[in-house]
Amino acid sequence: MINEELELQKFEQKIANGEKIEPKDWMPEKYRKQLIRMIAQHAHSEIVGMLPEGNWITRAPSLRRKMVLLAKVQDEGGHGLYLYSAAETLGADRKDLIEALLNGKMKYSNIFNYPTLSWADIGIIGWLVDGAAIVNQTMLAKCSYGPYSRAMIRICKEENFHKRQGYENVSVLAQGNAKQKQMVQDALNRWWWQTLMMFGPHDENSTNTVDLMRWKIKLETNDSLRQRFINLTIPQAYAIGLTIPDNDLKYNEKTQNWEIGKINFDELYNVINGNGPCNRIRIAERKKSYEEGNWVRIAAENYALKNKNNYGTK
Ligand code: BYC
């Protein structure tokens, strides 16, 4: 019989020693549940995140930009696949997770519920959205669960490329003609606050952080990661002549932090509860793609079954 108390002590000791927890190790049910929630939301964000950028593949302004964008969107699909696999190592069923996304029971990142109105939005997503993801995921690469941490190391390498291409794209527009400058500033104005919301509510309102930090799934809080992103990004905006859309923004010499105005968290909650500008269209597109891909899943299942039977007779 398993002595739960003793197993919990051993589990916590392993985490305290900086060792990774692997799929077959004993783990508390709450740890497993929190990880499935977070990893699945992350996987969903990657595949829903393909849509706003995918929207511009046919309209990229040059062959080079089109190739880069195609590669990036394909990378995001790959990230979704690693992450669904990581969730499966915890006993989750991929089909159930995808159904939970499609019927609105599981969340995905707020940021993908906004429209991409101009080409500049594509550069801004790479620079800001992937930039925010890197700050968060560099921490997650050190998390206590082995498969998630290893997936993050690989994903962060690709996100770095995504961020660089985004910043390069934005810099070219920011140095372009008046119309291009205005287009990129307008995109920054529309994405800035929403990107800051990607890090989640303020620490005092973050319902999961205490559990997640206790077991080193998260190593830092939402506010501390958000501040790091702000400090990194503001000088990058100024370097290319862009203005941050925040009248209260000021630099605090003492703390060496950029201090920002008030984030409208009502907007975050409204969006993650399904009422953002594009939630319905994003889910409708994912549903359509899931239904159209059904024949591929059936063929793959039959192929696997046939091979299993063959192995049995050899
Ligand atoms: N969006 O207790 P809290 C990418 C929810 S994709 C939606 O602080 P936690 C990319 C939260 O789930 C990168 N929901 O939560 C892809 C919770 O609700 P539940 C996506 C949010 O988990 C394509 C409630 O609010 N990255 O890079 O401690 C193209 C209370 O929050 C959000 C990840 O998914 C939000 N922004 O912290 C380009 C990283 N914020 O679940 C780029 C993995 C909060 O209790 N996830 N909520 O009903 C995380 O690091 C954490 O889950 C979060 C939230 C920081 C997002």
Side-chain angles (χ1 to χ4, degrees), residues 210-224:
V210 173
D211 279 346
L212 295 173
M213 288 190 77
R214 173 181 176 194
W215 288 321
K216 294 194 181 163
I217 295 174
K218 265 183 176 177
L219 297 149
E220 287 182 65
T221 67
N222 298 355
D223 283 326
S224 105

Side-chain angles (χ1 to χ4, degrees), residues 31-47:
Y31 178 83
R32 184 187 302 277
K33 280 209 178 114
Q34 275 286 15
L35 273 170
I36 293 177
R37 176 190 69 85
M38 223 172 106
I39 299 174
Q41 282 183 8
H42 195 163
H44 298 331
S45 305
E46 299 283 356
I47 61 159

Side-chain angles (χ1 to χ4, degrees), residues 37 41 107 110 133 136 198 200 206-208 218 222 272:
R37 176 190 69 85
Q41 282 183 8
K107 297 186 170 75
N110 68 304
N136 176 266
M198 281 178 75
S206 166
T207 44
N208 299 295
K218 265 183 176 177
N222 298 355
I272 66 182

Side-chain angles (χ1 to χ4, degrees), residues 266-295:
D266 289 344
E267 177 175 338
L268 173 70
Y269 291 119
N270 192 42
V271 169
I272 66 182
N273 287 323
N275 302 313
C278 298
N279 296 60
R280 282 169 194 79
I281 189 173
R282 298 287 183 249
I283 291 300
E285 282 189 61
R286 288 291 0 144
K287 269 191 186 150
K288 181 167 173 278
S289 140
Y290 192 64
E291 281 157 15
E292 286 175 358
N294 197 35
W295 70 270

Side-chain angles (χ1 to χ4, degrees), residues 190-300:
R190 284 183 289 105
W191 290 88
W192 173 250
W193 291 101
Q194 289 70 11
T195 304
L196 299 185
M197 293 174 200
M198 281 178 75
F199 293 92
H202 282 315
D203 295 348
E204 60 273 23
N205 300 320
S206 166
T207 44
N208 299 295
T209 296
V210 173
D211 279 346
L212 295 173
M213 288 190 77
R214 173 181 176 194
W215 288 321
K216 294 194 181 163
I217 295 174
K218 265 183 176 177
L219 297 149
E220 287 182 65
T221 67
N222 298 355
D223 283 326
S224 105
L225 291 171
R226 183 169 18 243
Q227 189 63 55
R228 177 163 319 133
F229 170 78
I230 291 168
N231 289 350
L232 280 169
T233 310
I234 290 176
Q236 292 168 0
Y238 288 162
I240 53 175
L242 294 176
T243 308
I244 300 290
D246 179 352
N247 293 332
D248 296 320
L249 186 69
K250 55 179 183 301
Y251 187 67
N252 183 328
E253 289 286 351
K254 218 164 144 195
T255 60
Q256 303 201 335
N257 283 324
W258 284 96
E259 292 172 358
I260 60 164
K262 202 164 174 283
I263 300 176
N264 177 5
F265 282 108
D266 289 344
E267 177 175 338
L268 173 70
Y269 291 119
N270 192 42
V271 169
I272 66 182
N273 287 323
N275 302 313
C278 298
N279 296 60
R280 282 169 194 79
I281 189 173
R282 298 287 183 249
I283 291 300
E285 282 189 61
R286 288 291 0 144
K287 269 191 186 150
K288 181 167 173 278
S289 140
Y290 192 64
E291 281 157 15
E292 286 175 358
N294 197 35
W295 70 270
V296 180
R297 285 186 297 279
I298 294 172

